[in-house]
Amino acid sequence: MVIADKKTRVDSEVTKKQEGSRLYQPFRALGYITSSIPHSIQYRGQAAFITAGIGRSFHIYDSEKINLLFVGPRFDADVVSVLSIGDETFVSSGGQVTVCQRAKRVGELESVSRGEISNLMQFGDYIIAISEDNAVVIWNRVTRELFTEIEFESESFRVTAVVHPSTYVNKIVIGSAQGSMQVWNIQTRRCLYEFKSFGSGIACLVQAPVIDVLALGLLDGRILLHNVKLDSPVMQLAQEGRVTALSFRTDDVPMMATSNAEGDVALWDLNNKRLLHVLQGAHDSTIPSIEFLAGQPLLLTSSADNSIKEWLFDGQDGVPRLLRHRSGHFAAPQMIRYHDDEGRCILSAGRDRSLRYFSVFRDAQNVELSQGSLAREARARKVKVNELRLPQISQFASNPAMTKDWDDVITCQQNCTNAHTWSSDRKALGKYTLMSSDKTVIKSVAISACGNFGFLGLTSGVIEMVNMQSGLSRRTFIGHTKVVTGIQTDGCNQQMYSTSLDGTLRIWDFATGKQLHCVELPSPPSRLMLHRESGLLACICDDACVRVVDSESQRVVRKFAGHRNRITDLAFSNDGRWIVTASLDSTIRTWDLPTGHMVDWFKVESVPVSVAFSPAGDFLATAHMDSVGIFLWANRTQFADVSLRQINPAVDLSGEAAMLTMPTTAGLSADDENAEQPIESTADEQNGVYLAAEQLTDNMVTLSSLPKSKWQTLLNLATIKKRNKPEMAPKAPELAPFFLPTVLGTEPRFDLEAKTDNKDDADDKPVERSRISTASAVSGLVRALYRGQETMSYAAVFEYLKELNPSAIDLELRTLPVDDNLRAVKAFIQASTAHLRSKRDFELVQAYLQVFLNVFGDIIKANTEDLEPLLVELRKESRSQWSTIDGLIRYSACMVEFMRTSK
């Protein structure tokens, strides 16, 4: 009845929309460092800590090594501004300012309905910010209540910056996009003074080390040092591009640093009023904040290029050098692959023309593979570093087999006739630049399983094999007539596989270069993946289908169709059972190879462009078109039982996959209110999950789900007890009396003949009776058997026996009473016959019957006339079930033998 209820519930939910993903749980994001909002620095003694906004969260780093210390919670909207004061971090997101301590939410400032809140700034016990509707909002930091608001007319005074002049009590200076400034008293809410326009919009305001002097950064590139007390200019400088940030050194060196939107940093000698040096291309994007650390010759810069850098002034010429930095992709990754066999690191090629190494476990190990001394060369040529990088990588391959010996990564770039080797051990560009023999563009690359050979697929259809150690060409494979889109090799260097836009998959002899087979595909393949253990080849075709080809039979064995747009990438699971595909329709789908069904799908906010499955099977990694990070999704099947029921969008009324929230850098958190369903959730808690019945159909013989040792131990219990029985019973040592008797004489001696023999007393004690004979006449098994006779249902008998251990089962069977005209014996035979007729727990019933017949065989022989009808029925059912099982076993054995010897 329970099974029927479950089946009804499941059938009623088949057409419901799937809630989330059954197989994957958002875990964490890699590669996020900073964003385009200014960072905030707080000091704890001599140590400085950096708070940087990251999308909908924030990071806290230490300045000593730029190690990640804390990751903030996920907010409902992007973070617009951050401010750190002591233990508290104030975060503006979605028009609300949230207060966090140690990256945990602890409260909020009083809400104001003024749109986005930006430019958070501390002013004593007050927090000052600029609202989207052109107002300056001030809160009390202690009470978190709104203190006051100052509104402005956007046409005449658009607020862009706010600063508190040192020693000016209750005064703030507000800059505008029109180029004018105003001095306000926040207690009286009065404008005390207004400066004339400086001819260009004010981008930033900073207090100079000198009292009464403010530094103004203008949109036209001018830097003004202005005395606000006398309303008189002190100094005027100019740089290329609008000023985005300003900072002054505080270690007794008169120097100022400014930044622009092109990623350059200008250093100014304030004594001589001249430009000292320009860090050309210090960053690859705009620099929203720049700051000298207090009392130290260190300049900290953060940029929208997803990096934080520290510059050290330790030379006599005042030119800094890059001391340390932390960075990630500043353009979206295009291809990601796991590099090692344990799933610890990921290689990523991005649109920023870089190849990066990411550690799954330690962010401090993330690094960009070096392309040489590009910074020095860029300074010499006076160009940006990004202009000297190699072109964008279109495809790469890696194999860690020979990492310590020679290069283990090979890449091909867009529209280039050469490929490059890299060393993941040295984290740098390798020795060789591999040129195509016919001067055509290289479109695909691969590395053999041994790591000794690399392969280049050319637009002419030719495939070249090169030696990774020497960089010399070894063999050429000629046969394709169009661009080679994918290359793979088997694990034993016996065969090589390739696909081309000519619509073929070709199998080559690795040693001779001759073509062995050619498989015609209905649509041109754009990518090829191989699962070496199973020999299955997966081809992404232009008709938005994935075709799986068996390398042994050279036949298409599976076709997966369902994506509504072009498939961007695919990956095999570590055991070869699943294929995961990503598509331009923003869905990630998982296909089960044995059944040919789609077992999971979900939708994401950004289009996935690449996927990779961990060799350990614990994570799925994805890269997306609009994101600079790499996202990890935990595999639920590693931690919980998950039903792999078929998903058919044609049956689903909604026809849409569930939208999943992208993983964050914080990872899984029990305090996250927006977290997805936890990994530990059971299958019963998920909508639409098929609950497997104990028996799929009434005509199928079913074994029990108990471990094999349960019934094997029962059959060999006597042997096990005999083997475990000690050879000699433990004997207590003889105890000497406390006072030994002595013998009279001239010399004192002990009387050794005196004995305390109590054998006669022992003979008088009653002999302990056997426990079996004193056992209760009505055991649990007997009560279940008698109850089954009354109700004609014996299911409870075997449920009771399943809960016992082998020794208890043996005791229950041996203590069945033989009185009352063998009622218990007859009931057990009837129960066994009924359970065999139900075709359940076949092996358990056979084990119980063997023990039963061994114990009561003589009694059954002596009472043949009474028991013969029951035994005949039992033998009939047992033979019927065994003939079915025996036939299936023989059939399977014949099929295995045929497949093994068919070559």
Side-chain angles (χ1 to χ4, degrees):
M1 186 66 182
V2 175
I3 298 175
D5 293 340
K6 290 182 179 180
K7 185 175 181 181
T8 303
R9 180 179 64 82
V10 171
D11 291 341
S12 65
E13 295 179 351
V14 168
T15 58
K16 288 185 179 181
K17 184 175 180 179
Q18 178 192 0
E19 295 293 337
S21 169
R22 293 201 300 262
L23 297 182
Y24 306 108
Q25 171 83 16
F27 182 67
R28 64 172 298 210
L30 305 176
Y32 281 100
I33 309 299
T34 61
S35 63
S36 59
I37 68 172
H39 64 251
S40 176
I41 295 182
Q42 61 171 318
Y43 294 92
R44 310 301 296 270
Q46 295 296 322
F49 299 90
I50 310 160
T51 303
I54 302 292
R56 296 187 177 183
S57 183
F58 64 89
H59 288 179
I60 299 179
Y61 305 93
D62 67 338
S63 63
E64 184 178 358
K65 294 184 179 179
I66 319 184
N67 286 332
L68 180 62
L69 302 179
F70 298 102
V71 178
R74 180 181 175 88
F75 297 94
D76 296 333
D78 289 341
V79 174
V80 178
S81 181
V82 294
L83 173 65
S84 295
I85 306 173
D87 292 333
E88 295 180 329
T89 301
F90 296 85
V91 183
S92 173
S93 172
Q96 179 64 50
V97 179
T98 304
V99 185
C100 300
Q101 286 185 358
R102 297 183 68 86
K104 300 293 184 182
R105 301 174 192 248
V106 295
E108 294 180 345
L109 298 185
E110 184 177 342
S111 179
V112 293
S113 301
R114 292 187 173 275
E116 290 288 357
I117 305 296
S118 61
N119 295 71
L120 292 174
M121 184 193 74
Q122 181 186 10
F123 177 25
D125 289 335
Y126 299 100
I127 301 295
I128 301 177
I130 301 174
S131 66
E132 188 178 2
D133 62 352
N134 199 38
V136 175
V137 186
I138 305 174
W139 293 270
N140 187 302
R141 182 170 65 90
V142 179
T143 63
R144 299 176 184 173
E145 296 177 352
L146 181 65
F147 177 72
T148 187
E149 297 173 304
I150 304 174
E151 299 179 351
F152 298 88
E153 293 292 336
S154 299
E155 292 77 10
S156 59
F157 196 90
R158 181 69 185 177
V159 180
T160 57
V162 180
V163 68
H164 163 59
S166 298
T167 71
Y168 285 60
V169 180
N170 297 330
K171 311 296 190 304
I172 59 174
V173 177
I174 304 174
S176 69
Q178 288 76 13
S180 60
M181 292 193 307
Q182 295 180 1
V183 180
W184 282 76
N185 187 313
I186 63 172
Q187 292 287 348
T188 62
R189 293 187 60 198
R190 290 178 54 193
C191 178
L192 305 180
Y193 187 79
E194 182 171 0
F195 299 85
K196 294 181 180 180
S197 175
F198 295 100
S200 180
I202 299 175
C204 55
L205 286 171
V206 176
Q207 171 67 53
V210 180
I211 297 176
D212 300 329
V213 177
L214 296 181
L216 289 69
L218 305 183
L219 296 178
D220 60 2
R222 287 182 295 152
I223 303 103
L224 304 180
L225 272 66
H226 197 82
N227 190 310
V228 294
K229 184 175 183 180
L230 303 177
D231 190 8
S232 61
V234 177
M235 187 184 306
Q236 177 173 323
L237 305 169
Q239 71 171 20
E240 294 183 1
R242 66 182 180 90
V243 182
T244 57
L246 292 162
S247 183
F248 293 90
R249 283 186 69 169
T250 58
D251 58 340
D252 298 331
V253 177
M255 180 182 292
M256 177 179 66
T258 61
S259 60
N260 61 17
E262 285 72 36
D264 302 328
V265 175
L267 304 173
W268 305 88
D269 184 352
L270 298 180
N271 280 344
N272 300 317
K273 300 180 181 180
R274 67 180 181 89
L275 179 64
L276 183 65
H277 183 69
V278 176
L279 296 174
Q280 191 81 20
H283 288 274
D284 294 305
S285 185
T286 182
I287 302 176
S289 54
I290 182 172
E291 189 168 352
F292 283 98
L293 297 186
Q296 302 181 49
L298 284 175
L299 177 64
L300 180 71
T301 61
S302 65
S303 171
D305 67 355
N306 197 28
S307 67
I308 296 176
K309 296 183 179 181
E310 287 186 6
W311 308 83
L312 176 63
F313 293 82
D314 58 353
Q316 297 297 328
D317 55 357
V319 178
R321 62 180 176 89
L322 183 61
L323 179 63
R324 62 179 67 93
H325 72 283
R326 187 182 184 92
S327 62
H329 283 295
F330 66 86
Q334 288 295 100
M335 183 178 181
I336 59 173
R337 292 291 182 265
Y338 277 91
H339 176 60
D340 62 338
D341 296 330
E342 299 177 354
R344 294 179 176 271
C345 60
I346 297 175
L347 289 178
S348 170
R351 288 186 291 178
D352 56 1
R353 302 162 68 175
S354 67
L355 181 65
R356 290 187 172 271
Y357 174 100
F358 290 94
S359 172
V360 175
F361 303 107
R362 295 193 62 184
D363 289 340
Q365 296 179 352
N366 299 348
V367 67
E368 177 185 353
L369 272 65
S370 173
Q371 298 185 23
S373 302
L374 299 183
R376 184 185 309 167
E377 188 175 353
R379 288 195 299 268
R381 296 188 184 184
K382 296 183 178 180
V383 296
K384 290 188 176 182
V385 174
N386 199 43
E387 297 178 7
L388 300 179
R389 298 179 188 270
L390 296 175
Q392 179 181 329
I393 295 174
S394 58
Q395 197 175 120
F396 71 86
S398 67
N399 189 336
M402 308 301 291
T403 296
K404 299 297 182 181
D405 299 305
W406 50 75
D407 298 343
D408 57 347
V409 181
I410 185 171
T411 63
C412 62
Q413 286 73 29
Q414 288 184 352
N415 303 321
C416 287
T417 59
N418 51 30
H420 295 82
T421 61
W422 305 70
S423 172
S424 64
D425 186 42
R426 296 186 296 108
K427 306 295 188 299
L429 193 64
K431 297 180 179 180
Y432 305 111
T433 299
L434 309 174
M435 302 294 297
S436 60
S437 58
D438 55 5
K439 306 301 180 182
T440 57
V441 175
I442 300 174
K443 284 293 187 180
S444 56
V445 292
I447 295 181
S448 62
C450 61
N452 293 322
F453 302 100
F455 296 85
L456 311 177
L458 312 182
T459 54
S460 61
V462 176
I463 301 172
E464 294 185 12
M465 183 173 76
V466 297
N467 188 284
M468 294 293 292
Q469 182 180 9
S470 63
L472 300 177
S473 179
R474 292 304 184 196
R475 194 166 294 112
T476 302
F477 302 80
I478 301 176
H480 287 295
T481 58
K482 293 184 179 181
V483 178
V484 178
T485 57
I487 305 173
Q488 296 290 335
T489 63
D490 66 356
C492 300
N493 286 357
Q494 298 294 319
Q495 294 178 343
M496 188 267 289
Y497 315 97
S498 64
T499 55
S500 170
L501 291 183
D502 59 11
T504 62
L505 185 153
R506 299 176 188 260
I507 303 176
W508 310 82
D509 185 271
F510 193 96
T512 62
K514 295 182 178 179
Q515 179 178 312
L516 301 178
H517 305 282
C518 179
V519 180
E520 296 284 345
L521 298 176
S523 179
S526 59
R527 181 157 293 183
L528 176 68
M529 292 293 291
L530 167 69
H531 187 260
R532 287 195 171 105
E533 287 74 12
S534 62
L536 295 177
L537 295 154
C539 307
I540 298 177
C541 298
D542 288 347
D543 57 356
C545 294
V546 174
R547 291 176 172 84
V548 182
V549 179
D550 182 15
S551 60
E552 292 291 333
S553 62
Q554 299 87 46
R555 295 176 55 189
V556 177
V557 294
R558 288 289 186 271
K559 175 185 174 182
F560 299 121
H563 282 292
R564 301 175 182 177
N565 208 328
R566 183 173 66 87
I567 299 175
T568 56
D569 199 8
L570 65 80
F572 277 98
S573 62
N574 60 316
D575 57 2
R577 184 180 180 88
W578 299 340
I579 286 181
V580 183
T581 57
S583 171
L584 292 179
D585 60 8
S586 296
T587 62
I588 297 176
R589 307 185 185 216
T590 302
W591 313 84
D592 188 61
L593 274 169
T595 62
H597 297 155
M598 182 173 69
V599 294
D600 187 76
W601 68 330
F602 62 92
K603 201 168 187 177
V604 288
E605 301 170 357
S606 180
V607 174
V609 295
S610 186
V611 293
F613 216 101
S614 168
D618 48 359
F619 295 114
L620 173 71
T622 62
H624 300 261
M625 186 173 293
D626 300 328
S627 304
V628 296
I630 297 174
F631 302 93
L632 298 181
W633 308 79
N635 182 3
R636 290 176 183 263
T637 60
Q638 297 279 318
F639 316 105
D641 294 330
V642 178
S643 172
L644 299 180
R645 180 179 60 87
Q646 178 186 5
I647 297 175
N648 189 354
V651 177
D652 193 346
L653 294 180
S654 64
E656 293 292 337
M659 178 72 73
L660 286 193
T661 303
M662 299 293 288
T664 65
T665 51
L668 292 176
S669 174
D671 299 331
D672 190 358
E673 298 177 358
N674 299 323
E676 300 291 335
Q677 190 176 6
I679 288 179
E680 290 78 8
S681 61
T682 60
D684 292 343
E685 297 172 351
Q686 302 178 22
N687 292 333
V689 173
Y690 175 72
L691 302 175
E694 295 182 9
Q695 195 172 21
L696 297 180
T697 124
D698 295 338
N699 297 324
M700 181 179 293
V701 179
T702 308
L703 304 181
S704 70
S705 58
L706 297 179
K708 185 171 59 174
S709 59
K710 190 96 172 185
W711 55 270
Q712 282 186 337
T713 303
L714 178 63
L715 297 178
N716 301 280
L717 191 61
T719 304
I720 294 173
K721 288 183 176 180
K722 183 178 180 181
R723 183 182 61 194
N724 295 338
K725 184 179 180 181
E727 297 180 357
M728 182 180 295
K731 183 168 66 173
E734 295 184 1
L735 297 177
F738 186 77
F739 295 102
L740 295 178
T742 58
V743 178
L744 298 177
T746 57
E747 296 182 359
R749 317 190 268 111
F750 292 109
D751 186 5
L752 301 179
E753 296 181 357
K755 297 182 180 179
T756 57
D757 193 354
N758 296 326
K759 289 185 178 180
D760 297 338
D761 297 338
D763 294 339
D764 296 339
K765 293 182 180 180
V767 179
E768 183 180 358
R769 302 183 63 183
S770 172
R771 291 184 179 181
I772 296 180
S773 62
T774 58
S776 174
V778 183
S779 63
L781 176 60
V782 173
R783 287 195 297 270
L785 289 172
Y786 289 169
R787 195 179 303 112
Q789 278 186 326
E790 297 173 358
T791 61
M792 298 304 296
S793 175
Y794 295 96
V797 174
F798 290 91
E799 292 298 327
Y800 172 75
L801 290 176
K802 286 180 182 180
E803 297 176 355
L804 303 178
N805 58 49
S807 298
I809 296 173
D810 183 77
L811 179 62
E812 288 279 3
L813 293 176
R814 291 180 182 275
T815 55
L816 286 177
V818 294
D819 55 355
D820 196 9
N821 195 21
L822 302 178
R823 180 186 176 186
V825 174
K826 294 179 180 179
F828 187 81
I829 297 175
Q830 292 172 343
S832 300
T833 304
H835 211 65
L836 285 174
R837 191 177 292 115
S838 69
K839 300 183 179 181
R840 298 181 181 178
D841 305 328
F842 178 81
E843 83 282 14
L844 285 184
V845 177
Q846 296 297 327
Y848 298 157
L849 280 174
Q850 181 170 339
V851 176
F852 173 78
L853 294 175
N854 287 338
V855 174
F856 295 97
D858 53 345
I859 296 178
I860 293 175
K861 187 176 181 180
N863 298 271
T864 306
E865 295 181 359
D866 292 343
L867 300 176
E868 182 176 5
L870 301 177
L871 295 174
V872 170
E873 187 67 21
L874 175 63
R875 182 177 62 181
K876 178 182 177 181
E877 287 296 333
S878 181
R879 285 181 176 179
S880 174
Q881 307 305 331
W882 171 244
S883 63
T884 302
I885 295 177
D886 185 54
L888 293 173
I889 293 175
R890 293 178 182 273
Y891 176 81
S892 300
C894 290
M895 288 297 298
V896 171
E897 182 67 17
F898 172 77
M899 297 297 294
R900 188 177 66 85
T901 60
S902 60
K903 293 185 179 179

